[in-house]
mmCIF file with all atom_site columns, all heavy atoms in Angstrom:
data_model
loop_
_atom_site.group_PDB
_atom_site.id
_atom_site.type_symbol
_atom_site.label_atom_id
_atom_site.label_alt_id
_atom_site.label_comp_id
_atom_site.label_asym_id
_atom_site.label_entity_id
_atom_site.label_seq_id
_atom_site.pdbx_PDB_ins_code
_atom_site.Cartn_x
_atom_site.Cartn_y
_atom_site.Cartn_z
_atom_site.occupancy
_atom_site.B_iso_or_equiv
_atom_site.pdbx_formal_charge
_atom_site.auth_seq_id
_atom_site.auth_comp_id
_atom_site.auth_asym_id
_atom_site.auth_atom_id
_atom_site.pdbx_PDB_model_num
ATOM 1   N N   . GLY A 1 120 ? 44.840 31.821 40.158 1.00 97.00 ? 304 GLY A N   1
ATOM 2   C CA  . GLY A 1 120 ? 45.624 33.049 40.034 1.00 97.00 ? 304 GLY A CA  1
ATOM 3   C C   . GLY A 1 120 ? 44.780 34.243 39.611 1.00 97.00 ? 304 GLY A C   1
ATOM 4   O O   . GLY A 1 120 ? 45.100 35.385 39.958 1.00 97.00 ? 304 GLY A O   1
ATOM 5   N N   . GLN A 1 121 ? 43.706 33.992 38.866 1.00 97.00 ? 305 GLN A N   1
ATOM 6   C CA  . GLN A 1 121 ? 42.835 35.086 38.442 1.00 97.00 ? 305 GLN A CA  1
ATOM 7   C C   . GLN A 1 121 ? 42.084 35.674 39.633 1.00 97.00 ? 305 GLN A C   1
ATOM 8   O O   . GLN A 1 121 ? 41.949 36.883 39.763 1.00 97.00 ? 305 GLN A O   1
ATOM 9   C CB  . GLN A 1 121 ? 41.842 34.601 37.377 1.00 97.00 ? 305 GLN A CB  1
ATOM 10  C CG  . GLN A 1 121 ? 42.506 34.267 36.060 1.00 97.00 ? 305 GLN A CG  1
ATOM 11  C CD  . GLN A 1 121 ? 43.008 35.516 35.356 1.00 97.00 ? 305 GLN A CD  1
ATOM 12  O OE1 . GLN A 1 121 ? 42.279 36.465 35.156 1.00 97.00 ? 305 GLN A OE1 1
ATOM 13  N NE2 . GLN A 1 121 ? 44.286 35.521 35.001 1.00 97.00 ? 305 GLN A NE2 1
ATOM 14  N N   . GLU A 1 123 ? 43.160 35.502 42.699 1.00 97.00 ? 307 GLU A N   1
ATOM 15  C CA  . GLU A 1 123 ? 44.151 36.143 43.564 1.00 97.00 ? 307 GLU A CA  1
ATOM 16  C C   . GLU A 1 123 ? 44.541 37.511 43.031 1.00 97.00 ? 307 GLU A C   1
ATOM 17  O O   . GLU A 1 123 ? 44.654 38.474 43.787 1.00 97.00 ? 307 GLU A O   1
ATOM 18  C CB  . GLU A 1 123 ? 45.377 35.245 43.697 1.00 97.00 ? 307 GLU A CB  1
ATOM 19  C CG  . GLU A 1 123 ? 45.052 33.956 44.427 1.00 97.00 ? 307 GLU A CG  1
ATOM 20  C CD  . GLU A 1 123 ? 46.278 33.177 44.800 1.00 97.00 ? 307 GLU A CD  1
ATOM 21  O OE1 . GLU A 1 123 ? 47.361 33.458 44.241 1.00 97.00 ? 307 GLU A OE1 1
ATOM 22  O OE2 . GLU A 1 123 ? 46.160 32.288 45.662 1.00 97.00 ? 307 GLU A OE2 1
ATOM 23  N N   . ALA A 1 124 ? 44.728 37.593 41.712 1.00 97.00 ? 308 ALA A N   1
ATOM 24  C CA  . ALA A 1 124 ? 45.133 38.878 41.133 1.00 97.00 ? 308 ALA A CA  1
ATOM 25  C C   . ALA A 1 124 ? 44.045 39.926 41.360 1.00 97.00 ? 308 ALA A C   1
ATOM 26  O O   . ALA A 1 124 ? 44.337 41.077 41.658 1.00 97.00 ? 308 ALA A O   1
ATOM 27  C CB  . ALA A 1 124 ? 45.419 38.724 39.648 1.00 97.00 ? 308 ALA A CB  1
ATOM 28  N N   . ARG A 1 126 ? 41.661 39.890 43.749 1.00 97.00 ? 310 ARG A N   1
ATOM 29  C CA  . ARG A 1 126 ? 41.581 40.211 45.173 1.00 97.00 ? 310 ARG A CA  1
ATOM 30  C C   . ARG A 1 126 ? 42.755 41.098 45.585 1.00 97.00 ? 310 ARG A C   1
ATOM 31  O O   . ARG A 1 126 ? 42.622 41.970 46.430 1.00 97.00 ? 310 ARG A O   1
ATOM 32  C CB  . ARG A 1 126 ? 41.583 38.928 46.033 1.00 97.00 ? 310 ARG A CB  1
ATOM 33  C CG  . ARG A 1 126 ? 40.484 37.920 45.749 1.00 97.00 ? 310 ARG A CG  1
ATOM 34  C CD  . ARG A 1 126 ? 39.085 38.492 45.769 1.00 97.00 ? 310 ARG A CD  1
ATOM 35  N NE  . ARG A 1 126 ? 38.735 39.211 46.970 1.00 97.00 ? 310 ARG A NE  1
ATOM 36  C CZ  . ARG A 1 126 ? 38.025 38.728 47.977 1.00 97.00 ? 310 ARG A CZ  1
ATOM 37  N NH1 . ARG A 1 126 ? 37.578 37.499 47.931 1.00 97.00 ? 310 ARG A NH1 1
ATOM 38  N NH2 . ARG A 1 126 ? 37.759 39.457 49.028 1.00 97.00 ? 310 ARG A NH2 1
ATOM 39  N N   . GLY A 1 129 ? 42.310 44.662 45.487 1.00 96.00 ? 313 GLY A N   1
ATOM 40  C CA  . GLY A 1 129 ? 41.291 45.176 46.407 1.00 96.00 ? 313 GLY A CA  1
ATOM 41  C C   . GLY A 1 129 ? 39.855 44.889 46.006 1.00 96.00 ? 313 GLY A C   1
ATOM 42  O O   . GLY A 1 129 ? 38.927 45.424 46.602 1.00 96.00 ? 313 GLY A O   1
ATOM 43  N N   . MET A 1 130 ? 39.649 44.061 44.989 1.00 97.00 ? 314 MET A N   1
ATOM 44  C CA  . MET A 1 130 ? 38.265 43.740 44.619 1.00 97.00 ? 314 MET A CA  1
ATOM 45  C C   . MET A 1 130 ? 37.650 42.828 45.666 1.00 97.00 ? 314 MET A C   1
ATOM 46  O O   . MET A 1 130 ? 38.332 41.973 46.231 1.00 97.00 ? 314 MET A O   1
ATOM 47  C CB  . MET A 1 130 ? 38.237 43.002 43.276 1.00 97.00 ? 314 MET A CB  1
ATOM 48  C CG  . MET A 1 130 ? 38.540 43.858 42.089 1.00 97.00 ? 314 MET A CG  1
ATOM 49  S SD  . MET A 1 130 ? 38.023 42.973 40.611 1.00 97.00 ? 314 MET A SD  1
ATOM 50  C CE  . MET A 1 130 ? 38.882 43.892 39.371 1.00 97.00 ? 314 MET A CE  1
ATOM 51  N N   . ASN A 1 131 ? 36.341 42.974 45.872 1.00 94.00 ? 315 ASN A N   1
ATOM 52  C CA  . ASN A 1 131 ? 35.667 42.027 46.746 1.00 94.00 ? 315 ASN A CA  1
ATOM 53  C C   . ASN A 1 131 ? 35.205 40.827 45.914 1.00 94.00 ? 315 ASN A C   1
ATOM 54  O O   . ASN A 1 131 ? 35.403 40.789 44.694 1.00 94.00 ? 315 ASN A O   1
ATOM 55  C CB  . ASN A 1 131 ? 34.520 42.692 47.503 1.00 94.00 ? 315 ASN A CB  1
ATOM 56  C CG  . ASN A 1 131 ? 33.439 43.213 46.561 1.00 94.00 ? 315 ASN A CG  1
ATOM 57  O OD1 . ASN A 1 131 ? 33.206 42.651 45.497 1.00 94.00 ? 315 ASN A OD1 1
ATOM 58  N ND2 . ASN A 1 131 ? 32.789 44.290 46.947 1.00 94.00 ? 315 ASN A ND2 1
ATOM 59  N N   . GLY A 1 132 ? 34.608 39.854 46.576 1.00 93.00 ? 316 GLY A N   1
ATOM 60  C CA  . GLY A 1 132 ? 34.247 38.620 45.887 1.00 93.00 ? 316 GLY A CA  1
ATOM 61  C C   . GLY A 1 132 ? 33.318 38.838 44.705 1.00 93.00 ? 316 GLY A C   1
ATOM 62  O O   . GLY A 1 132 ? 33.510 38.268 43.625 1.00 93.00 ? 316 GLY A O   1
ATOM 63  N N   . GLN A 1 134 ? 32.790 41.656 42.952 1.00 96.00 ? 318 GLN A N   1
ATOM 64  C CA  . GLN A 1 134 ? 33.464 42.378 41.864 1.00 96.00 ? 318 GLN A CA  1
ATOM 65  C C   . GLN A 1 134 ? 34.356 41.435 41.072 1.00 96.00 ? 318 GLN A C   1
ATOM 66  O O   . GLN A 1 134 ? 34.409 41.488 39.843 1.00 96.00 ? 318 GLN A O   1
ATOM 67  C CB  . GLN A 1 134 ? 34.306 43.530 42.448 1.00 96.00 ? 318 GLN A CB  1
ATOM 68  C CG  . GLN A 1 134 ? 33.472 44.657 43.022 1.00 96.00 ? 318 GLN A CG  1
ATOM 69  C CD  . GLN A 1 134 ? 34.303 45.623 43.860 1.00 96.00 ? 318 GLN A CD  1
ATOM 70  O OE1 . GLN A 1 134 ? 35.330 45.251 44.443 1.00 96.00 ? 318 GLN A OE1 1
ATOM 71  N NE2 . GLN A 1 134 ? 33.863 46.871 43.931 1.00 96.00 ? 318 GLN A NE2 1
ATOM 72  N N   . ARG A 1 138 ? 33.700 40.997 37.153 1.00 96.00 ? 322 ARG A N   1
ATOM 73  C CA  . ARG A 1 138 ? 34.634 41.618 36.226 1.00 96.00 ? 322 ARG A CA  1
ATOM 74  C C   . ARG A 1 138 ? 35.685 40.649 35.672 1.00 96.00 ? 322 ARG A C   1
ATOM 75  O O   . ARG A 1 138 ? 36.197 40.850 34.579 1.00 96.00 ? 322 ARG A O   1
ATOM 76  C CB  . ARG A 1 138 ? 35.360 42.777 36.932 1.00 96.00 ? 322 ARG A CB  1
ATOM 77  C CG  . ARG A 1 138 ? 34.442 43.889 37.391 1.00 96.00 ? 322 ARG A CG  1
ATOM 78  C CD  . ARG A 1 138 ? 33.954 44.709 36.241 1.00 96.00 ? 322 ARG A CD  1
ATOM 79  N NE  . ARG A 1 138 ? 35.082 45.202 35.434 1.00 96.00 ? 322 ARG A NE  1
ATOM 80  C CZ  . ARG A 1 138 ? 34.934 45.756 34.233 1.00 96.00 ? 322 ARG A CZ  1
ATOM 81  N NH1 . ARG A 1 138 ? 33.740 45.899 33.716 1.00 96.00 ? 322 ARG A NH1 1
ATOM 82  N NH2 . ARG A 1 138 ? 35.984 46.156 33.556 1.00 96.00 ? 322 ARG A NH2 1
ATOM 83  N N   . GLN A 1 143 ? 35.338 35.409 31.701 1.00 94.00 ? 327 GLN A N   1
ATOM 84  C CA  . GLN A 1 143 ? 36.174 34.347 31.138 1.00 94.00 ? 327 GLN A CA  1
ATOM 85  C C   . GLN A 1 143 ? 35.446 33.011 31.148 1.00 94.00 ? 327 GLN A C   1
ATOM 86  O O   . GLN A 1 143 ? 35.515 32.235 30.196 1.00 94.00 ? 327 GLN A O   1
ATOM 87  C CB  . GLN A 1 143 ? 37.468 34.208 31.936 1.00 94.00 ? 327 GLN A CB  1
ATOM 88  C CG  . GLN A 1 143 ? 38.349 35.421 31.878 1.00 94.00 ? 327 GLN A CG  1
ATOM 89  C CD  . GLN A 1 143 ? 39.642 35.213 32.644 1.00 94.00 ? 327 GLN A CD  1
ATOM 90  O OE1 . GLN A 1 143 ? 40.442 34.362 32.306 1.00 94.00 ? 327 GLN A OE1 1
ATOM 91  N NE2 . GLN A 1 143 ? 39.833 35.978 33.707 1.00 94.00 ? 327 GLN A NE2 1
ATOM 92  N N   . ARG B 2 49  ? 52.168 36.065 51.254 1.00 97.00 ? 93  ARG B N   1
ATOM 93  C CA  . ARG B 2 49  ? 50.728 35.962 51.013 1.00 97.00 ? 93  ARG B CA  1
ATOM 94  C C   . ARG B 2 49  ? 49.914 36.181 52.292 1.00 97.00 ? 93  ARG B C   1
ATOM 95  O O   . ARG B 2 49  ? 48.746 36.563 52.216 1.00 97.00 ? 93  ARG B O   1
ATOM 96  C CB  . ARG B 2 49  ? 50.400 34.594 50.408 1.00 97.00 ? 93  ARG B CB  1
ATOM 97  C CG  . ARG B 2 49  ? 50.952 34.448 48.974 1.00 97.00 ? 93  ARG B CG  1
ATOM 98  C CD  . ARG B 2 49  ? 51.024 32.993 48.554 1.00 97.00 ? 93  ARG B CD  1
ATOM 99  N NE  . ARG B 2 49  ? 49.729 32.344 48.639 1.00 97.00 ? 93  ARG B NE  1
ATOM 100 C CZ  . ARG B 2 49  ? 48.779 32.451 47.720 1.00 97.00 ? 93  ARG B CZ  1
ATOM 101 N NH1 . ARG B 2 49  ? 49.010 33.154 46.638 1.00 97.00 ? 93  ARG B NH1 1
ATOM 102 N NH2 . ARG B 2 49  ? 47.636 31.846 47.866 1.00 97.00 ? 93  ARG B NH2 1
ATOM 103 N N   . GLU B 2 82  ? 35.471 41.388 55.044 1.00 91.00 ? 126 GLU B N   1
ATOM 104 C CA  . GLU B 2 82  ? 35.675 41.650 53.615 1.00 91.00 ? 126 GLU B CA  1
ATOM 105 C C   . GLU B 2 82  ? 36.150 43.095 53.376 1.00 91.00 ? 126 GLU B C   1
ATOM 106 O O   . GLU B 2 82  ? 37.042 43.338 52.578 1.00 91.00 ? 126 GLU B O   1
ATOM 107 C CB  . GLU B 2 82  ? 34.360 41.364 52.874 1.00 91.00 ? 126 GLU B CB  1
ATOM 108 C CG  . GLU B 2 82  ? 34.422 41.555 51.377 1.00 91.00 ? 126 GLU B CG  1
ATOM 109 C CD  . GLU B 2 82  ? 34.815 40.289 50.615 1.00 91.00 ? 126 GLU B CD  1
ATOM 110 O OE1 . GLU B 2 82  ? 35.205 39.293 51.262 1.00 91.00 ? 126 GLU B OE1 1
ATOM 111 O OE2 . GLU B 2 82  ? 34.754 40.310 49.374 1.00 91.00 ? 126 GLU B OE2 1
ATOM 112 N N   . CYS B 2 86  ? 39.672 44.336 51.569 1.00 95.00 ? 130 CYS B N   1
ATOM 113 C CA  . CYS B 2 86  ? 39.744 45.161 50.370 1.00 95.00 ? 130 CYS B CA  1
ATOM 114 C C   . CYS B 2 86  ? 40.575 46.415 50.637 1.00 95.00 ? 130 CYS B C   1
ATOM 115 O O   . CYS B 2 86  ? 41.367 46.839 49.799 1.00 95.00 ? 130 CYS B O   1
ATOM 116 C CB  . CYS B 2 86  ? 38.344 45.522 49.879 1.00 95.00 ? 130 CYS B CB  1
ATOM 117 S SG  . CYS B 2 86  ? 37.446 44.069 49.295 1.00 95.00 ? 130 CYS B SG  1
ATOM 118 N N   . ARG B 2 89  ? 44.350 45.407 50.918 1.00 97.00 ? 133 ARG B N   1
ATOM 119 C CA  . ARG B 2 89  ? 45.002 45.033 49.658 1.00 97.00 ? 133 ARG B CA  1
ATOM 120 C C   . ARG B 2 89  ? 45.212 46.219 48.732 1.00 97.00 ? 133 ARG B C   1
ATOM 121 O O   . ARG B 2 89  ? 46.075 46.181 47.869 1.00 97.00 ? 133 ARG B O   1
ATOM 122 C CB  . ARG B 2 89  ? 44.190 43.950 48.974 1.00 97.00 ? 133 ARG B CB  1
ATOM 123 C CG  . ARG B 2 89  ? 44.333 42.624 49.712 1.00 97.00 ? 133 ARG B CG  1
ATOM 124 C CD  . ARG B 2 89  ? 43.285 41.664 49.294 1.00 97.00 ? 133 ARG B CD  1
ATOM 125 N NE  . ARG B 2 89  ? 43.399 40.402 49.996 1.00 97.00 ? 133 ARG B NE  1
ATOM 126 C CZ  . ARG B 2 89  ? 42.381 39.566 50.142 1.00 97.00 ? 133 ARG B CZ  1
ATOM 127 N NH1 . ARG B 2 89  ? 41.206 39.872 49.662 1.00 97.00 ? 133 ARG B NH1 1
ATOM 128 N NH2 . ARG B 2 89  ? 42.546 38.428 50.778 1.00 97.00 ? 133 ARG B NH2 1
ATOM 129 N N   . ASN B 2 100 ? 49.536 36.550 36.241 1.00 97.00 ? 144 ASN B N   1
ATOM 130 C CA  . ASN B 2 100 ? 48.088 36.571 36.468 1.00 97.00 ? 144 ASN B CA  1
ATOM 131 C C   . ASN B 2 100 ? 47.401 37.809 35.904 1.00 97.00 ? 144 ASN B C   1
ATOM 132 O O   . ASN B 2 100 ? 46.551 38.410 36.542 1.00 97.00 ? 144 ASN B O   1
ATOM 133 C CB  . ASN B 2 100 ? 47.767 36.474 37.974 1.00 97.00 ? 144 ASN B CB  1
ATOM 134 C CG  . ASN B 2 100 ? 48.252 35.176 38.581 1.00 97.00 ? 144 ASN B CG  1
ATOM 135 O OD1 . ASN B 2 100 ? 48.503 34.215 37.862 1.00 97.00 ? 144 ASN B OD1 1
ATOM 136 N ND2 . ASN B 2 100 ? 48.393 35.134 39.882 1.00 97.00 ? 144 ASN B ND2 1
ATOM 137 N N   . LEU B 2 101 ? 47.777 38.189 34.698 1.00 97.00 ? 145 LEU B N   1
ATOM 138 C CA  . LEU B 2 101 ? 47.048 39.275 34.039 1.00 97.00 ? 145 LEU B CA  1
ATOM 139 C C   . LEU B 2 101 ? 45.662 38.779 33.667 1.00 97.00 ? 145 LEU B C   1
ATOM 140 O O   . LEU B 2 101 ? 45.444 37.581 33.534 1.00 97.00 ? 145 LEU B O   1
ATOM 141 C CB  . LEU B 2 101 ? 47.809 39.729 32.787 1.00 97.00 ? 145 LEU B CB  1
ATOM 142 C CG  . LEU B 2 101 ? 49.158 40.392 33.039 1.00 97.00 ? 145 LEU B CG  1
ATOM 143 C CD1 . LEU B 2 101 ? 49.780 40.833 31.732 1.00 97.00 ? 145 LEU B CD1 1
ATOM 144 C CD2 . LEU B 2 101 ? 49.024 41.589 33.985 1.00 97.00 ? 145 LEU B CD2 1
ATOM 145 N N   . PHE B 2 102 ? 44.723 39.715 33.504 1.00 97.00 ? 146 PHE B N   1
ATOM 146 C CA  . PHE B 2 102 ? 43.374 39.348 33.079 1.00 97.00 ? 146 PHE B CA  1
ATOM 147 C C   . PHE B 2 102 ? 43.371 39.226 31.557 1.00 97.00 ? 146 PHE B C   1
ATOM 148 O O   . PHE B 2 102 ? 43.500 40.238 30.861 1.00 97.00 ? 146 PHE B O   1
ATOM 149 C CB  . PHE B 2 102 ? 42.361 40.396 33.550 1.00 97.00 ? 146 PHE B CB  1
ATOM 150 C CG  . PHE B 2 102 ? 42.447 40.688 35.022 1.00 97.00 ? 146 PHE B CG  1
ATOM 151 C CD1 . PHE B 2 102 ? 42.470 41.998 35.487 1.00 97.00 ? 146 PHE B CD1 1
ATOM 152 C CD2 . PHE B 2 102 ? 42.512 39.649 35.953 1.00 97.00 ? 146 PHE B CD2 1
ATOM 153 C CE1 . PHE B 2 102 ? 42.554 42.274 36.848 1.00 97.00 ? 146 PHE B CE1 1
ATOM 154 C CE2 . PHE B 2 102 ? 42.583 39.912 37.315 1.00 97.00 ? 146 PHE B CE2 1
ATOM 155 C CZ  . PHE B 2 102 ? 42.616 41.228 37.763 1.00 97.00 ? 146 PHE B CZ  1
ATOM 156 N N   . PRO B 2 103 ? 43.217 38.019 31.026 1.00 96.00 ? 147 PRO B N   1
ATOM 157 C CA  . PRO B 2 103 ? 43.422 37.823 29.581 1.00 96.00 ? 147 PRO B CA  1
ATOM 158 C C   . PRO B 2 103 ? 42.338 38.445 28.712 1.00 96.00 ? 147 PRO B C   1
ATOM 159 O O   . PRO B 2 103 ? 42.562 38.689 27.535 1.00 96.00 ? 147 PRO B O   1
ATOM 160 C CB  . PRO B 2 103 ? 43.410 36.293 29.433 1.00 96.00 ? 147 PRO B CB  1
ATOM 161 C CG  . PRO B 2 103 ? 42.663 35.785 30.609 1.00 96.00 ? 147 PRO B CG  1
ATOM 162 C CD  . PRO B 2 103 ? 42.904 36.769 31.724 1.00 96.00 ? 147 PRO B CD  1
ATOM 163 N N   . HIS B 2 104 ? 41.162 38.732 29.315 1.00 94.00 ? 148 HIS B N   1
ATOM 164 C CA  . HIS B 2 104 ? 40.066 39.265 28.515 1.00 94.00 ? 148 HIS B CA  1
ATOM 165 C C   . HIS B 2 104 ? 40.065 40.782 28.479 1.00 94.00 ? 148 HIS B C   1
ATOM 166 O O   . HIS B 2 104 ? 39.155 41.393 27.929 1.00 94.00 ? 148 HIS B O   1
ATOM 167 C CB  . HIS B 2 104 ? 38.734 38.754 29.051 1.00 94.00 ? 148 HIS B CB  1
ATOM 168 C CG  . HIS B 2 104 ? 38.488 39.102 30.488 1.00 94.00 ? 148 HIS B CG  1
ATOM 169 N ND1 . HIS B 2 104 ? 39.345 38.727 31.500 1.00 94.00 ? 148 HIS B ND1 1
ATOM 170 C CD2 . HIS B 2 104 ? 37.516 39.804 31.082 1.00 94.00 ? 148 HIS B CD2 1
ATOM 171 C CE1 . HIS B 2 104 ? 38.885 39.181 32.649 1.00 94.00 ? 148 HIS B CE1 1
ATOM 172 N NE2 . HIS B 2 104 ? 37.773 39.838 32.429 1.00 94.00 ? 148 HIS B NE2 1
ATOM 173 N N   . GLU B 2 113 ? 41.745 48.556 35.766 1.00 97.00 ? 157 GLU B N   1
ATOM 174 C CA  . GLU B 2 113 ? 40.634 47.805 36.365 1.00 97.00 ? 157 GLU B CA  1
ATOM 175 C C   . GLU B 2 113 ? 40.408 48.122 37.844 1.00 97.00 ? 157 GLU B C   1
ATOM 176 O O   . GLU B 2 113 ? 39.280 48.360 38.276 1.00 97.00 ? 157 GLU B O   1
ATOM 177 C CB  . GLU B 2 113 ? 40.872 46.295 36.187 1.00 97.00 ? 157 GLU B CB  1
ATOM 178 C CG  . GLU B 2 113 ? 39.752 45.407 36.710 1.00 97.00 ? 157 GLU B CG  1
ATOM 179 C CD  . GLU B 2 113 ? 38.394 45.727 36.100 1.00 97.00 ? 157 GLU B CD  1
ATOM 180 O OE1 . GLU B 2 113 ? 38.360 46.213 34.955 1.00 97.00 ? 157 GLU B OE1 1
ATOM 181 O OE2 . GLU B 2 113 ? 37.383 45.490 36.773 1.00 97.00 ? 157 GLU B OE2 1
ATOM 182 N N   . THR B 2 117 ? 36.910 49.654 39.109 1.00 97.00 ? 161 THR B N   1
ATOM 183 C CA  . THR B 2 117 ? 35.984 48.807 39.859 1.00 97.00 ? 161 THR B CA  1
ATOM 184 C C   . THR B 2 117 ? 36.070 49.025 41.363 1.00 97.00 ? 161 THR B C   1
ATOM 185 O O   . THR B 2 117 ? 35.060 49.035 42.053 1.00 97.00 ? 161 THR B O   1
ATOM 186 C CB  . THR B 2 117 ? 36.254 47.327 39.527 1.00 97.00 ? 161 THR B CB  1
ATOM 187 O OG1 . THR B 2 117 ? 36.140 47.162 38.123 1.00 97.00 ? 161 THR B OG1 1
ATOM 188 C CG2 . THR B 2 117 ? 35.266 46.419 40.224 1.00 97.00 ? 161 THR B CG2 1
#
Side-chain angles (χ1 to χ4, degrees):
Chain A
Q305 291 290 308
E307 294 191 344
R310 303 307 306 260
M314 288 196 196
N315 62 31
Q318 290 167 332
R322 298 287 306 168
Q327 296 182 63
Chain B
R93 291 162 57 80
E126 182 90 351
C130 293
R133 288 165 181 157
N144 298 341
L145 294 182
F146 308 133
H148 58 302
E157 183 56 28
T161 303

